[in-house]
Amino acid sequence: MRCPYCGHNDLRVVDSRDSEVGEAIRRRRECLNCGQRFTTYERIESVPFFVIKKDGRREDFDPHKLFTGLKKATEKRDISPERLNSIVDQIEAELRRSGRVEIPSREIGEMVMERLRDLDEVAYIRFASVYREFMDLRQVRREIDQVLSARSRRQQEKQAETARG
Ligand SMILES: [Zn+2]
């Protein structure tokens, strides 16, 4: 790497940190010849990782597919595509950080559900019913009961907080 100002290759790294998504490293460098500072972005060679489906098939991880699934689950709910994109980014970054090459699809599904549960209960139930392949209404019912009891727990906590405050 050479200094873009004088072409010298004696450079010093002043500061480096991961970018938001965790796929690029941002480095601030200083040229030891002319003293100019500039920023470089190095993309980490992204190691491909695979999703292992329930039937044992191996597929490339496809963020777009994940996004499509989220979009379907949140249809007609007031959730912006940016929000969904950021969920996809978070999950992808987390999976990459784990350093594993093969990830069971079930695990990714759980990660999505965890985030949807906080975001939108209806979307969560929709996603969960597809993902967990609910066989009957009892399972749907059980899931809804859990969401509702978590909600009332949260409300109680909030009320307790207000009472204290
Ligand atoms: Zn220079």
Side-chain angles (χ1 to χ4, degrees), residues 2-11 30-36 38:
R2 291 182 173 277
C3 168
Y5 298 95
C6 71
H8 210 266
N9 62 5
D10 233 350
L11 306 169
E30 187 185 87
C31 173
L32 294 177
N33 183 49
C34 71
Q36 288 278 4
F38 54 96

Side-chain angles (χ1 to χ4, degrees), residues 28-67:
R28 195 85 186 129
R29 293 178 190 268
E30 187 185 87
C31 173
L32 294 177
N33 183 49
C34 71
Q36 288 278 4
R37 288 185 172 198
F38 54 96
T39 304
T40 57
Y41 292 91
E42 286 159 48
R43 290 199 81 70
I44 296 166
E45 265 316 301
S46 57
V47 183
F49 60 94
F50 302 94
V51 178
I52 307 298
K53 316 282 286 181
K54 282 196 195 98
D55 60 9
R57 272 181 307 130
R58 205 165 103 133
E59 263 179 18
D60 283 338
F61 173 75
D62 181 357
H64 183 72
K65 207 168 158 188
L66 192 53
F67 180 81

Side-chain angles (χ1 to χ4, degrees), residues 134-145:
F134 290 163
M135 290 305 176
D136 57 35
L137 284 173
R138 255 178 322 189
Q139 284 177 297
V140 178
R141 174 69 192 268
R142 200 157 51 218
E143 202 67 41
I144 291 174
D145 285 346

Side-chain angles (χ1 to χ4, degrees), residues 14-146:
V14 186
D15 173 44
S16 79
R17 63 168 178 208
D18 293 342
S19 76
E20 287 276 289
V21 185
E23 281 184 9
I25 296 177
R26 177 184 175 279
R27 286 209 168 97
R28 195 85 186 129
R29 293 178 190 268
E30 187 185 87
C31 173
L32 294 177
N33 183 49
C34 71
Q36 288 278 4
R37 288 185 172 198
F38 54 96
T39 304
T40 57
Y41 292 91
E42 286 159 48
R43 290 199 81 70
I44 296 166
E45 265 316 301
S46 57
V47 183
F49 60 94
F50 302 94
V51 178
I52 307 298
K53 316 282 286 181
K54 282 196 195 98
D55 60 9
R57 272 181 307 130
R58 205 165 103 133
E59 263 179 18
D60 283 338
F61 173 75
D62 181 357
H64 183 72
K65 207 168 158 188
L66 192 53
F67 180 81
T68 311
L70 276 168
K71 208 161 166 232
K72 220 180 207 165
T74 55
E75 212 163 65
K76 298 204 174 101
R77 308 296 296 170
D78 192 20
I79 302 168
S80 70
E82 291 76 38
R83 195 72 192 263
L84 299 182
N85 258 322
S86 93
I87 292 180
V88 173
D89 282 350
Q90 278 170 21
I91 289 175
E92 185 175 359
E94 197 172 307
L95 292 173
R96 285 196 187 287
R97 268 198 305 274
S98 80
R100 288 180 303 161
V101 178
E102 295 187 336
I103 294 146
S105 61
R106 176 183 37 80
E107 221 173 289
I108 300 175
E110 297 295 329
M111 289 166 83
V112 172
M113 284 190 272
E114 214 173 276
R115 286 163 172 86
L116 280 183
R117 193 168 8 195
D118 296 336
L119 190 64
D120 188 282
E121 288 160 357
V122 172
Y124 167 73
I125 296 293
R126 279 189 198 151
F127 191 90
S129 64
V130 174
Y131 215 91
R132 294 202 174 136
E133 293 174 349
F134 290 163
M135 290 305 176
D136 57 35
L137 284 173
R138 255 178 322 189
Q139 284 177 297
V140 178
R141 174 69 192 268
R142 200 157 51 218
E143 202 67 41
I144 291 174
D145 285 346
Q146 277 174 13

